[in-house]
């Protein structure tokens, strides 16, 4: 069924036997499309503010299997499978290449795409993410809060833990992410969330990041309890053609510091 949001045209598209709920904004300029990979448990709508702030670019994103409006897969999957689905979407829309942005869990998928579908990735943007299982982890109490999708199901719980998980501006109170909590109502299933956790188990990019060829912008918050800043600095040291932009914020800087984030993204993508 075709639907519309303020920014996205949303439709189901079948790629390699898997139906995906896909969001696409047309864009108004002559730019490569921007392919976005979302965070764990997150649906298309949570990336809408970012796409809305980049009206000149065609943005393509999708709910991964078992998340948002995409049905559960028949089998568990790994990051390379998500990269393959994303490549299938580019083929579907007749794009040979795209700029790629990944957020948190989606940052791992973006790294995988840049590696296994390298010819399809022009530039890479990694936001609030890390190198997978080989990284400097969050504290145990933060990891425990991330181990279940409760924050997507229980709004009151989400409001009480958002500062602990996301840090930065979210420490000021639940009103900072009021819109985030509203969009999280589209949460699909616990099983889909656990499949995302399973997909990342044992996965790491640390051994092949030095071979990435794409110009890469790494974006991070300096008060991110979930992905400590040292992980961004590690990726900066490993990826040859990379740069690091640090925000005075936490894990959710793309939403809470949208204008500054978009300015950095636009400057990087527009650079020759």
């Amino acid at each position: 069924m075709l639907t519309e949001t303020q920014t996205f045209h949303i439709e189901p598209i079948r790629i390699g036997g898997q139906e995906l709920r896909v969001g696409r904004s047309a864009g108004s300029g002559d730019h490569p499309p921007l392919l976005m990979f979302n965070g764990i448990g997150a649906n298309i709508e949570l990336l809408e503010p970012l796409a809305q702030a980049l009206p000149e670019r065609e943005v393509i994103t999708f709910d991964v299997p078992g998340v948002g409006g995409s049905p559960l897969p028949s089998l568990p999957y790994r990051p390379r499978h998500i990269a393959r689905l994303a490549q299938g979407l580019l083929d579907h829309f007749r794009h040979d290449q795209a700029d790629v942005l990944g957020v948190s869990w989606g940052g791992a998928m973006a790294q995988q795409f840049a590696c296994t579908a390298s010819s399809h990735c022009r530039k890479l943007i990694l936001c609030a993410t890390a190198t997978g299982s080989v990284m400097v982890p969050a504290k145990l109490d933060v990891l425990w809060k991330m181990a279940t999708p409760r924050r997507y199901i229980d709004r009151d719980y989400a409001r009480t833990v958002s500062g602990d998980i996301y840090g930065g501006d979210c420490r000021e109170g639940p009103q900072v992410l009021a819109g985030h909590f509203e969009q999280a109502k589209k949460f699909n299933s616990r099983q889909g969330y656990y499949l995302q956790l399973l997909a990342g188990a044992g996965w790491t990019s640390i051994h092949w990041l030095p071979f990435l060829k794409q110009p890469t912008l790494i974006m991070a918050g300096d008060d991110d309890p979930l992905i400590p800043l040292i992980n961004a600095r590690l990726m900066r040291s490993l990826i040859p053609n990379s740069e690091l932009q640090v925000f005075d914020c936490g894990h959710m800087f793309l939403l809470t510091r949208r204008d500054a984030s978009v300015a950095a993204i636009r400057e990087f993508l527009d650079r020759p």
Side-chain angles (χ1 to χ4, degrees):
M1 182 176 66
L2 302 180
T3 59
E4 302 285 340
T5 68
Q6 188 174 357
T7 304
F8 289 131
H9 171 78
I10 297 178
E11 63 179 316
I13 296 176
R14 185 167 290 275
I15 304 292
Q18 171 69 50
E19 183 178 299
L20 298 174
R21 178 173 177 260
V22 179
R24 185 189 186 201
S25 64
S28 60
D30 185 19
H31 300 279
L34 180 60
L35 174 65
M36 292 188 182
F37 292 91
N38 218 334
I40 190 167
N43 52 51
I44 285 171
E45 285 78 4
L46 292 173
L47 286 177
E48 191 162 12
L50 186 57
Q52 193 174 45
L54 293 163
E56 74 277 14
R57 295 183 181 277
E58 175 186 351
V59 173
I60 301 169
T61 187
F62 61 99
D63 292 340
V64 299
V67 172
S70 292
L72 286 163
S74 56
L75 295 170
Y77 58 83
R78 299 293 287 168
R80 66 180 180 275
H81 299 132
I82 299 300
R84 193 175 303 136
L85 290 174
Q87 184 176 335
L89 280 180
L90 291 185
D91 293 341
H92 175 85
F93 291 120
R94 299 183 179 180
H95 292 307
D96 294 327
Q97 198 174 56
D99 295 320
V100 176
L101 182 150
V103 184
S104 194
W105 181 91
M109 306 305 114
Q111 292 171 65
Q112 184 69 60
F113 184 90
C115 176
T116 57
S118 59
S119 64
H120 298 276
C121 179
R122 186 184 76 108
K123 290 188 177 183
L124 178 63
I125 303 174
L126 302 174
C127 305
T129 192
T131 54
S133 59
V134 182
M135 62 173 284
V136 178
K139 293 180 180 178
L140 285 177
D141 62 329
V142 175
L143 293 174
W144 180 250
K145 293 181 176 75
M146 290 294 295
T148 76
R150 183 181 173 188
R151 68 192 185 284
Y152 283 111
I153 301 166
D154 184 338
R155 305 295 174 267
D156 292 334
Y157 175 76
R159 291 182 177 94
T160 63
V161 302
S162 61
D164 297 334
I165 294 175
Y166 302 128
D169 297 331
C170 297
R171 297 188 191 279
E172 297 176 9
Q175 72 281 355
V176 174
L177 289 181
H180 174 84
F181 297 138
E182 184 66 24
Q183 294 296 353
K185 290 179 180 177
K186 299 182 185 296
F187 176 78
N188 187 331
S189 70
R190 291 177 181 270
Q191 189 176 349
Y193 187 91
Y194 293 132
L195 283 174
Q196 285 187 282
L197 289 178
L198 181 62
W203 177 91
T204 183
S205 60
I206 199 163
H207 54 296
W208 46 255
L209 284 184
F211 301 101
L212 289 185
K213 295 179 171 55
Q214 297 88 353
T216 302
L217 172 63
I218 301 163
M219 303 171 69
D222 64 3
D223 178 25
D224 186 344
L226 186 56
I227 308 288
L229 177 58
I230 190 172
N231 291 287
R233 299 193 188 283
L234 173 62
M235 288 191 297
R236 168 64 187 89
S237 70
L238 290 173
I239 302 174
N241 189 11
S242 66
E243 57 192 87
L244 173 62
Q245 176 87 43
V246 179
F247 295 87
D248 180 20
C249 190
H251 192 72
M252 303 296 284
F253 59 83
L254 286 176
L255 296 179
T256 62
R257 302 293 177 90
R258 188 183 73 165
D259 291 348
S261 298
V262 167
I265 290 169
R266 182 175 282 123
E267 191 280 328
F268 173 71
L269 293 180
D270 287 347
R271 198 183 303 162

